[in-house]
Amino acid sequence: MGGGDAGDATSKTRVVVVGGGVAGAILARSMQFLADVVLIDPKEYFEIPWAELRSMVEPAFSDRSLVKHTDYLTNARVITSSAVNITENQVLTADGNSVSFDYLVIATGHAYSTPTSKQERLEQFQQDNQKIKSSQSVLIVGGGPSGVELAGEIAVDYPDKKVTIVHKGSRVLEFIGHKASKKTLDWLISKKVEVLLEQSVDLDSISEGDGVYTTSTGQKISADCHFVCVGKPLGSSWLQDSALRDCLNENRRLMVDEYLRVKGRSNIFAIGDITDIPEIKQGFLAERHATVVIKNLKLLMKGTKENKLAKYKAASPMAIVSLGRKEGVAQLPFATIIGCLPGLIKSKDLFVGKTRKTLGLVSST
């Protein structure tokens, strides 16, 4: 593991990256030979988030979508722990490290409770897969992108299984337009997925033992197992008592300027889902955030003036949601399409090959 401790890298600018998701991983990799890079992440691996649901129906897929941080960070230090606080010039971690920084990039996105080791995560996918295989009926709680993609994966790979989605909203995929929602609902129904809208399931009272779930309207659903696909909390709670507490908005997102610097800070950036940029929170946009901040760090390290920094423009609403292996629904700035074309773009490989390439890994097919 390169990088060494603080003592031997004094001449190099230190860039500390908190969060090893899409944005953090790409940024740390790009900067590792230009600065003394330290990545702080509670997991020892990077997970390609949009491959998660495919890995549940095809566990073999997960081996390429989970990458140990040390595989792509050959010249950086990785601290496998959670960041718990920030002072003016240090990040404190749960395992007692305090890491000083010249530049800090916060990329903690959403808080996932996934295992620390890659091996345990692979085993988790195996267990999920067993759960799906051994069940005749599956209940999915939540009709956002994760719930819809999981339902699509199961409906296509196991057409004989009964899949039910319970969603508290008035339509599936509320984060995109009505037209895309409607087309997706029609597709799900055509695959015999039952979709119950404007209902919820009390997650605290669920037990899989009896196989009967009651919704908020009193409807009973029998299912052999269930998966919870509701929104994950933002990864910002650790900042609430930190030096950046005043930089969080009312939704607990970090407020950033046009250069993606945290408001009022000249050497702290935020990228990915944690930012208050008014756009759909998605992986490919997190990559774009990372690209802008990589440019800006390089410029600042050279002493470039502020007005020469790269600016980030919020993206127009665009999204592709996979529907099984071959189809998908895409909301593009000019049209909403469903079927094989969006499927070709995303569903076959779920951008895993492309993401591995971005991280400099030769894609093993």
mmCIF file of all heavy atoms in Angstrom, residues 86-91 99-102 267:
data_model
loop_
_atom_site.group_PDB
_atom_site.id
_atom_site.type_symbol
_atom_site.label_atom_id
_atom_site.label_comp_id
_atom_site.label_asym_id
_atom_site.label_seq_id
_atom_site.Cartn_x
_atom_site.Cartn_y
_atom_site.Cartn_z
ATOM 1 N N ILE A 86 -14.987 16.418 11.136
ATOM 2 C CA ILE A 86 -14.031 17.222 10.377
ATOM 3 C C ILE A 86 -13.719 18.449 11.207
ATOM 4 O O ILE A 86 -14.628 19.098 11.736
ATOM 5 C CB ILE A 86 -14.655 17.710 9.047
ATOM 6 C CG1 ILE A 86 -14.829 16.550 8.090
ATOM 7 C CG2 ILE A 86 -13.796 18.778 8.379
ATOM 8 C CD1 ILE A 86 -15.486 16.961 6.784
ATOM 9 N N THR A 87 -12.424 18.772 11.314
ATOM 10 C CA THR A 87 -12.042 20.055 11.913
ATOM 11 C C THR A 87 -11.608 20.948 10.744
ATOM 12 O O THR A 87 -11.797 20.594 9.592
ATOM 13 C CB THR A 87 -10.880 19.872 12.906
ATOM 14 O OG1 THR A 87 -9.738 19.452 12.162
ATOM 15 C CG2 THR A 87 -11.218 18.825 13.955
ATOM 16 N N GLU A 88 -10.984 22.060 11.038
ATOM 17 C CA GLU A 88 -10.577 22.968 9.952
ATOM 18 C C GLU A 88 -9.587 22.312 8.996
ATOM 19 O O GLU A 88 -9.540 22.634 7.825
ATOM 20 C CB GLU A 88 -9.960 24.254 10.534
ATOM 21 C CG GLU A 88 -10.985 25.162 11.204
ATOM 22 C CD GLU A 88 -12.162 25.547 10.294
ATOM 23 O OE1 GLU A 88 -11.936 25.848 9.117
ATOM 24 O OE2 GLU A 88 -13.315 25.521 10.781
ATOM 25 N N ASN A 89 -8.768 21.393 9.493
ATOM 26 C CA ASN A 89 -7.769 20.814 8.586
ATOM 27 C C ASN A 89 -7.529 19.321 8.786
ATOM 28 O O ASN A 89 -6.527 18.784 8.347
ATOM 29 C CB ASN A 89 -6.433 21.561 8.724
ATOM 30 C CG ASN A 89 -5.930 21.517 10.160
ATOM 31 O OD1 ASN A 89 -6.539 20.875 11.018
ATOM 32 N ND2 ASN A 89 -4.819 22.183 10.418
ATOM 33 N N GLN A 90 -8.469 18.666 9.468
ATOM 34 C CA GLN A 90 -8.302 17.226 9.685
ATOM 35 C C GLN A 90 -9.623 16.498 9.571
ATOM 36 O O GLN A 90 -10.680 17.052 9.859
ATOM 37 C CB GLN A 90 -7.749 16.961 11.093
ATOM 38 C CG GLN A 90 -6.293 17.336 11.259
ATOM 39 C CD GLN A 90 -5.758 16.853 12.603
ATOM 40 O OE1 GLN A 90 -6.474 16.852 13.603
ATOM 41 N NE2 GLN A 90 -4.491 16.443 12.628
ATOM 42 N N VAL A 91 -9.512 15.222 9.166
ATOM 43 C CA VAL A 91 -10.679 14.335 9.194
ATOM 44 C C VAL A 91 -10.410 13.303 10.279
ATOM 45 O O VAL A 91 -9.320 12.729 10.348
ATOM 46 C CB VAL A 91 -10.864 13.608 7.840
ATOM 47 C CG1 VAL A 91 -12.066 12.665 7.915
ATOM 48 C CG2 VAL A 91 -11.050 14.607 6.713
ATOM 49 N N VAL A 99 -6.525 12.540 10.116
ATOM 50 C CA VAL A 99 -5.794 12.687 8.860
ATOM 51 C C VAL A 99 -5.856 14.146 8.447
ATOM 52 O O VAL A 99 -6.937 14.693 8.206
ATOM 53 C CB VAL A 99 -6.451 11.821 7.754
ATOM 54 C CG1 VAL A 99 -5.573 11.784 6.516
ATOM 55 C CG2 VAL A 99 -6.718 10.412 8.265
ATOM 56 N N SER A 100 -4.679 14.790 8.368
ATOM 57 C CA SER A 100 -4.697 16.197 7.970
ATOM 58 C C SER A 100 -4.785 16.298 6.454
ATOM 59 O O SER A 100 -4.396 15.375 5.739
ATOM 60 C CB SER A 100 -3.437 16.880 8.481
ATOM 61 O OG SER A 100 -2.320 16.201 7.950
ATOM 62 N N PHE A 101 -5.340 17.408 5.971
ATOM 63 C CA PHE A 101 -5.505 17.561 4.519
ATOM 64 C C PHE A 101 -5.114 18.965 4.073
ATOM 65 O O PHE A 101 -5.235 19.926 4.830
ATOM 66 C CB PHE A 101 -6.943 17.265 4.092
ATOM 67 C CG PHE A 101 -7.992 18.141 4.735
ATOM 68 C CD1 PHE A 101 -8.297 19.401 4.215
ATOM 69 C CD2 PHE A 101 -8.706 17.711 5.856
ATOM 70 C CE1 PHE A 101 -9.273 20.209 4.797
ATOM 71 C CE2 PHE A 101 -9.676 18.509 6.461
ATOM 72 C CZ PHE A 101 -9.958 19.772 5.920
ATOM 73 N N ASP A 102 -4.645 19.053 2.821
ATOM 74 C CA ASP A 102 -4.522 20.351 2.145
ATOM 75 C C ASP A 102 -5.821 20.611 1.393
ATOM 76 O O ASP A 102 -6.346 21.714 1.382
ATOM 77 C CB ASP A 102 -3.340 20.340 1.176
ATOM 78 C CG ASP A 102 -2.017 20.172 1.913
ATOM 79 O OD1 ASP A 102 -1.778 20.960 2.833
ATOM 80 O OD2 ASP A 102 -1.247 19.242 1.580
ATOM 81 N N ASN A 267 -10.818 25.110 0.080
ATOM 82 C CA ASN A 267 -10.066 23.869 -0.153
ATOM 83 C C ASN A 267 -10.866 22.607 0.143
ATOM 84 O O ASN A 267 -10.317 21.522 0.294
ATOM 85 C CB ASN A 267 -8.782 23.870 0.703
ATOM 86 C CG ASN A 267 -9.100 23.855 2.198
ATOM 87 O OD1 ASN A 267 -10.166 24.291 2.615
ATOM 88 N ND2 ASN A 267 -8.168 23.355 2.999
#
